[in-house]
Amino acid sequence: MTDGSLVQDFFARDQPRKPLFAMYALIILLVSYHALVFTVIKGDDIQTKDALSAYSLEFQESTLTASDEAYVQDQTVTMEFDLEQSDVQAYDGVGLLNVVVSYSESSGLPLDDCDTVTASIPPSGPSAEWGHVNSVLSGTSDDCSDIVLTVVVFPNYTGEPMQMVGGLSSQHLDAWSSQVHGVGTFTLNLEVSSSSPAPPPSPQDDGEAVSVAWTATLYELDLVEL
Amino acid sequence: MASDPSSLRLIGAILTILIGFMTLYFTRRNDQLEWNERLAAHLLAWILIAKGIGNTAVDYAIRAIETGGFTDQGVWQLSVGILWCMDFIFSSGLICLALVFPIPMIRKASHMKIALGAVIGLLVFRVVTQLLGFGVALIQLPGLAYLACALIWGSVYVKFRLMDELRSEESSRNIANVAGLLLLFHAGHVWFMWPGMILQAEYFYYIEPFVGLTSMPVDFLWQSSYTVLIAVGLFMCGVEIYQWSKGRAELLTYMLVSYFSLGLVGYAILGQGENALWWQSGSQSLDVIWTTLTSAMHFSMMRPVIMMYVILRYGLFETTPEMKPKAKLMVIILIVIATSALLELIQALVPMNEMFSAAALGILVAFGIGWEERSFDNLMNASKQMRKGLDARWFPEFPVQRIVFARLDRGMAVLILFLILVAFVQWQTNVWYDQLMFEAIETWGADE
């Protein structure tokens, strides 16, 4: 094993040292210069370059409504609600679709209780968050109370204001904008199971008048950098 | 499409891993290596494998962050963790490599123990700080590998490139070339940025190890190590130009001059305040195209190619008649992959007919294989001499048994798996996201 010193081999007086010292001098010069620029000349710029922007995002909501009525007997009645591209164009997206099914006992028979109405929206057609926890796609009523169904159309839309950290405003706007979600035909299936106060030959309740209110929530984004 | 840097990154990662395993395969069968060359070959193999895995992870991280941002509990944390942990192996491995190759910096067994102890200690320290949730912290000394390699390889290069030619021109030239090429492998992407550093451009002074995840002191340390590399690189470039003027140009001369010239052109493109980053995608703006063709190309293509050249040219592969065909086959595969990826990239950036590009690919590959036949032999027959004519004091002997290298391989494989597990734990404990939020809160506090 060699006992010679490495430092001696590199820097001994009988060795050519000037190029090495010149390189180290250049290193010291540039490192000092970098330190000066980093801490003083561009210090403020560098300190704030990573300041993550915080944003507040609010949804300015508008609604598009439609209504249907039908007399539903003991069979399934299908209703449809169309949302055209032209309906959505002026907005940043479609957030929700709410469907309220209302009815009252319309037979006029004494002691006739409310019939049982079942409403369901099949998860097909427009692009929407059919499986979202807030999507309520079916409901039943037997006491003449309204059935309220909800489809979350845009992913995770609640309509509540949000705050976000980081990213660019354009990225957040893009992330919450869509001209695709919700466009198409939503379908509602209604079924009535009617009950009469007394068996025949007394007068029978053979159906129910049901009204349906469709409300699509469209939104415009209001993004503010805090 | 390859214009998406994601394709380039992934191809580069695959190439890097392939070369790593190839190196391991061929060097394990090479009985002709000196102890420091054998250790270097094993280290090189694991450096490449770790870096390849890290580059694969970084591709996933970039895509996840670009599409979803820094999400709470996001899988991007796993990728960032793997990248950073693999960098521990990469940087520690490079420091070890610089200590033994091409010239052993350690002269005594006690030096060896101290050096290895320090490197392993640093590695363990970094892993522990990761597990404690420090992320990329100043105490991990980020950029240390750049600093150590720049000083060691830079000194070796200057010493042997400018050594008295009468003593041993061939050996000293080979040593200088290896040191220079290894530094080019490690720091080529930094050398593109030299005008930015001198002219105070944002594309240098806004550099961070990880975007938004590091504090200012970490960024300062990181950039300081870049600055050391630039200083060493500029000096080397000057030496090479001087040697060129004396008719002693080498491959390294042309590569260094190319890198530093491209850096100068790059300043004209990147120096206008835009902060183009090498991983950016989805944009065809000139600055992003430029970084794709320079920095990203260095990371993805040049690094494996440079390392391949060093391994072949300086005899780390086993090149007996029995093994030579296998080595050639692997090299051809690598050339085809690299050539096709490069052409795809150029086709995506410069609109051209697909038939034309397909024909060009065929011609290039055929040319590459034909060229390879002759150049491979040239490469194999080139002088690999690094000791002849030099004083024995430069090459201390250590009796290292072969079993040590087998243990090293096993240890590195286990270490890689362990570090991936560390990254997984970090993801599950949301460490990176919490750190990001901590940095953000600190910044807001400073603004107020």
Side-chain angles (χ1 to χ4, degrees), chain A residues 12-106:
Chain A
R13 287 193 180 279
D14 58 336
Q15 300 291 327
R17 299 181 299 174
K18 280 183 186 169
L20 278 173
F21 287 140
M23 186 178 76
Y24 299 144
L26 183 63
I27 291 171
I28 292 167
L29 181 71
L30 288 189
V31 168
S32 306
Y33 171 75
H34 170 260
L36 180 72
V37 175
F38 190 94
T39 55
V40 179
I41 299 172
K42 291 181 82 74
D44 291 340
D45 295 342
I46 292 168
Q47 193 153 27
T48 53
K49 77 178 192 306
D50 276 342
L52 292 177
S53 303
Y55 300 94
S56 162
L57 180 64
E58 292 186 14
F59 301 93
Q60 307 297 331
E61 294 183 338
S62 302
T63 54
L64 190 67
T65 58
S67 59
D68 283 311
E69 286 190 357
Y71 190 80
V72 185
Q73 294 177 302
D74 287 339
Q75 79 277 2
T76 301
V77 169
T78 299
M79 295 179 179
E80 291 183 342
F81 175 71
D82 283 329
L83 209 49
E84 306 284 345
Q85 187 74 53
S86 55
D87 297 328
V88 183
Q89 255 170 6
Y91 300 92
D92 291 310
V94 183
L96 303 168
L97 176 71
N98 284 300
V99 183
V100 180
V101 179
S102 311
Y103 73 103
S104 57
E105 184 47 55
S106 55

Side-chain angles (χ1 to χ4, degrees), chain B residues 213-230:
Chain B
L213 283 170
T214 48
S215 62
M216 263 187 84
V218 170
D219 299 343
F220 176 73
L221 201 61
W222 191 256
Q223 287 185 21
S224 297
S225 63
Y226 274 28
T227 305
V228 172
L229 283 169
I230 286 172

